[in-house]
Amino acid sequence: MTVESAAPALKSLRDSADLRHLRQIIAGLNEGVILVDPDQAILWANHAALGMHGVESVEDLGVTVDDYRQRFQLRYRNNHKLNHADYPIERVVSGEAFSQVVVEVAVAGEAEPRWVHQVRSLVLTNEADEPECLVLIIQDVSARFEAEDRFEQSFNANPAPAVICRLCDLRFVKVNQGFIDMTGHDRDAVLSRTVYDIDVLARADKRDLAKERLCEGRTIPQMEAELDLPGGVTKLVIVAGQPIDMSGQPCMLFTFADLEPRRKAEASLRQSEERFTRTFSLAPVALAIGTLDGHRLCDVNEAFLELTGYAATEIVGRPLEDIGLWETPALGAALEAELEAGVAIRDREVRIRLNTDEILDCIVSTEPITLGDETCVLWAMRDISTRKASERELVSAIEAVMKDTSWLSRSIMEKLARIRTPQATPQGVGLDELTQREREVLALICRGLDDKSIARSLNVSGNTVRNHVARIYSKIGVNRRNAAAAWARARGFDGDSMPVLPPRSGAQSLETTA
C-alpha cells in the first residue's frame, strides 16, 4: 500500500479515531511519512521516517517546522544549502505539491550529511478545497547515490577513455578525462552534444549492428572505428557499448581503446620490412635467410643465386643439408651445431659446393633475426676464391725463391718464412722477462753478430756473452741463434731500434769477471 491509496482516510484527520486508523495503515510502509498540520505543527511520523532521521520519536524531529529546520540541515547534491523557504517541509506547509526533490540531510552541527532523501508531497484538502493535512513522503536513497558516487569517481579516475549517453535522447551526460585526452574535445562541448554530433561509431567495421544495438539498448560488441577529432584528423580506436542505468534512466556506456600507437607501430614495421626487403634483394653480398629449427631456407637474394648457381625454386623451402651447400656434411653439421648453441659465426673461412659441383672458398658470417614469430638466421657469404688463389701463388713463388737463398739476407729469409707459414699469436714469456743487458745481447743476435762480435760491441769478455746467451735461451725456450731471432721478431723486436751501449768501467769489470 502507498500513501496515496490511504488518502481517503486522511480526510477526517482531526478525529482521534481516524488518526489512529491512519497510523495503523501507514505504519508498516517502507516510505517515510510525516504528517504536518497547516499551522506548521508536526502531527505524526511513522517508524520509517524516524529512522531516516536517526531519531526515535516525533518530538525528536521537532514540534514545529521551525524546530525541524534547527535540528536538520539540508542541502542539494551540488553542495548548495537550502534556504528556509526551499525546505521540502516548508514547501508542503505552503500548500505546494512537488515530486522527486533530492536533498542531503545532516544533523545540526555536523559538517557532512548522513542521508540522501528523495521527497515528494501530498496536500489533502477539505470540502472547501482548503488544506486540511499536509503529507511529506520520504525515501532514503543514500545507498543508491553512494553507489552512483563511487561509480562516478571510478569513471572519472579510470584512464580508459569513456563517455555515457542517455538512450532517450542520445545526449552525452558524462565524459571522463581519458576521452578528453584521447580526442582533444572540450568537455563542455561534448556534454552539450549527441552521438549524432560526435559520432563515436564513425566508420565502425560493424556500424549497422552497433546502431541496431544502440536503438535497442543492448550490448555493442567490440569493433574498430575511426573517430573524427578536432582539426580534421582521425584516430583509430576499438569501441564497445554497455547498457547501464543512471539515476533511473537507461544509458549507454561507451569505452574506447586507442589503436593509434598500434597503427603507427605497424606502419613503422611495414616501412622497416620494406627497407629490409629492398636492402636484402639489392645487396651485392650473397645473403640467405634460414630457420634456426631445421635450417630450412626461407629466402635468398640475387647475389646468392649468382654465387651458388642455383635457382630460387631449387633451394627455397629446403634444408641446407638437403641442398648440399657445404663442402662436406661434417662441415655443415658443425656450423649448424654452433648456431643451435647460440654461437654467432663471424668471418669464418669455409668451402661451399656450387650447383656445378665446383668447390668455392668463402667467408661466412651469420646473424640471428626474427621474422614474425619465428627465430631465423641471416647468412652472409663472400667469395674469396681469387684471394686464396693469389695467396697460393705467392706461397709457391716464395718456395721457388727459397730453393736458392744464398743471395738473400737473414731478415728477408725470415720475413719470407713468415709469409709462407703465418704464425699464431706469440705465446709464453715476453720481452719484459729479459734484463736490459739481455735485450741488448738479443738485439745484436738479431743483427747477425756472433759471440766475439757481441763481446767487442759491448766491450765485455766472451764468457760474459756466452753466459748472457745461455740465460736468454733458457728464458725463451730455444737452443739456437736463428730460433732466438725468430722469437724476437715474432714479438716485433728486430734489434735495429735497440741502442746498444758498452758498460761503464765499473760495470765492465764486473761483467768481465762474471
Side-chain angles (χ1 to χ4, degrees):
M1 177 182 291
T2 64
V3 175
E4 285 79 357
S5 64
L10 297 175
K11 292 293 185 178
S12 56
L13 185 61
R14 298 291 183 180
D15 184 88
S16 60
D18 290 338
L19 180 57
R20 186 171 58 254
H21 293 159
L22 176 61
R23 290 176 180 176
Q24 294 175 355
I25 292 173
I26 65 177
L29 294 177
N30 290 329
E31 293 179 313
V33 178
I34 299 176
L35 305 182
V36 183
D37 193 272
D39 65 2
Q40 298 196 11
I42 298 178
L43 299 176
W44 182 81
N46 66 351
H47 288 295
L50 296 177
M52 292 176 192
H53 289 81
V55 297
E56 296 182 355
S57 65
V58 177
E59 290 75 14
D60 293 331
L61 285 177
V63 177
T64 65
V65 171
D66 289 338
D67 288 344
Y68 180 89
R69 280 201 316 268
Q70 293 175 3
R71 299 183 184 193
F72 300 97
Q73 296 175 347
L74 275 60
R75 69 184 187 191
Y76 292 119
R77 292 275 297 158
N78 59 8
N79 291 328
H80 290 169
K81 290 185 178 181
L82 272 67
N83 296 324
H84 288 175
D86 293 331
Y87 270 60
I89 199 168
E90 289 278 6
R91 293 169 63 182
V92 74
V93 167
S94 66
E96 180 182 350
F98 56 86
S99 62
Q100 305 299 330
V101 174
V102 178
V103 292
E104 294 178 341
V105 181
V107 176
E110 295 183 0
E112 294 299 322
R114 293 191 187 182
W115 309 277
V116 179
H117 291 171
Q118 182 173 287
V119 187
R120 67 184 189 275
S121 68
L122 182 63
V123 179
L124 302 179
T125 59
N126 56 21
E127 295 179 355
D129 203 25
E130 296 173 346
E132 187 174 40
C133 183
L134 312 172
V135 185
L136 208 61
I137 306 166
I138 307 171
Q139 283 183 310
D140 187 350
V141 292
S142 303
R144 189 186 84 192
F145 279 95
E146 285 175 4
E148 289 185 1
D149 287 342
R150 288 194 298 271
F151 169 79
E152 185 152 353
Q153 289 172 5
S154 67
F155 176 79
N156 292 328
N158 190 349
V163 291
I164 299 174
C165 75
R166 280 194 305 257
L167 291 179
C168 61
D169 56 5
L170 297 183
R171 184 172 297 278
F172 293 115
V173 293
K174 287 190 181 298
V175 56
N176 72 352
Q177 189 62 40
F179 185 85
I180 300 301
D181 294 339
M182 182 185 73
T183 63
H185 283 297
D186 179 74
R187 182 183 300 274
D188 293 335
V190 173
L191 295 178
S192 65
R193 304 172 77 180
T194 70
V195 293
Y196 300 110
D197 302 318
I198 300 177
D199 190 353
V200 296
L201 300 171
R203 291 177 289 283
D205 53 3
K206 300 176 183 176
R207 182 177 174 82
D208 292 339
L209 173 63
K211 291 173 63 178
E212 177 184 338
R213 295 288 183 87
L214 180 61
C215 292
E216 297 173 352
R218 296 168 57 199
T219 299
I220 299 174
Q222 288 187 355
M223 60 187 68
E224 287 191 9
E226 197 164 354
L227 299 183
D228 294 315
L229 307 185
V233 297
T234 62
K235 183 179 287 289
L236 185 67
V237 298
I238 287 181
V239 59
Q242 180 64 41
I244 61 173
D245 186 84
M246 287 189 60
S247 302
Q249 291 185 320
C251 297
M252 182 67 71
L253 168 65
F254 287 103
T255 55
F256 304 85
D258 189 354
L259 295 185
E260 201 62 30
R262 189 191 77 178
R263 179 159 66 175
K264 291 180 179 179
E266 289 175 348
S268 177
L269 178 61
R270 186 165 52 252
Q271 293 172 359
S272 176
E273 290 176 346
E274 291 172 355
R275 288 194 297 269
F276 173 80
T277 300
R278 288 196 299 269
T279 303
F280 178 81
S281 301
L282 300 177
V285 178
L287 300 175
I289 299 174
T291 61
L292 184 60
D293 181 13
H295 304 283
R296 172 178 46 83
L297 285 181
C298 303
D299 198 4
V300 295
N301 69 351
E302 290 295 330
F304 185 90
L305 299 176
E306 183 178 348
L307 175 69
T308 61
Y310 286 99
T313 54
E314 295 178 304
I315 56 177
V316 172
R318 296 177 59 192
L320 288 172
E321 182 181 0
D322 293 352
I323 298 171
L325 182 66
W326 310 115
E327 181 184 21
T328 63
L331 173 61
L335 293 175
E336 292 174 3
E338 289 186 42
L339 293 177
E340 291 170 1
V343 178
I345 298 171
R346 291 287 182 269
D347 297 330
R348 181 81 56 83
E349 288 192 14
V350 300
R351 309 189 78 190
I352 65 172
R353 189 178 300 276
L354 307 184
N355 191 28
T356 59
D357 214 34
E358 179 185 354
I359 301 299
L360 198 67
D361 291 299
C362 287
I363 292 286
V364 172
S365 297
T366 63
E367 184 68 28
I369 60 174
T370 301
L371 294 179
D373 296 329
E374 190 169 16
T375 302
C376 299
V377 178
L378 175 65
W379 294 85
M381 300 182 183
R382 183 159 48 90
D383 181 7
I384 60 168
S385 54
T386 302
R387 191 192 80 185
K388 296 293 288 186
S390 299
E391 289 177 355
R392 286 191 289 269
E393 290 174 0
L394 177 60
V395 170
S396 298
I398 291 172
E399 289 176 345
V401 168
M402 292 184 69
K403 290 180 180 178
D404 183 12
T405 61
S406 59
W407 55 278
L408 295 174
S409 68
R410 182 185 303 274
S411 62
I412 292 177
M413 287 292 297
E414 290 174 350
K415 290 177 181 177
L416 288 174
R418 286 199 298 272
I419 293 174
R420 183 178 62 177
T421 309
Q423 297 181 358
T425 302
Q427 303 292 328
V429 299
L431 290 168
D432 292 341
E433 302 290 331
L434 305 180
T435 66
Q436 176 66 23
R437 178 57 81 187
E438 288 168 352
R439 286 197 293 272
E440 293 174 352
V441 171
L442 181 60
L444 294 174
I445 291 174
C446 291
R447 296 177 190 176
L449 275 65
D450 57 18
D451 288 354
K452 291 183 180 179
S453 299
I454 293 174
R456 286 194 298 270
S457 298
L458 297 178
N459 197 18
V460 297
S461 67
N463 286 337
T464 300
V465 172
R466 282 190 293 276
N467 290 337
H468 284 312
V469 171
R471 283 195 291 270
I472 291 171
Y473 286 174
S474 176
K475 287 183 178 181
I476 67 177
V478 300
N479 55 15
R480 291 184 298 116
R481 302 177 82 84
N482 287 344
W487 180 91
R489 291 193 175 93
R491 288 155 178 78
F493 182 84
D494 57 8
D496 294 335
S497 59
M498 178 73 184
V500 180
L501 301 175
R504 296 185 297 276
S505 57
Q508 178 183 357
S509 61
L510 290 174
E511 289 196 348
T512 302
T513 59

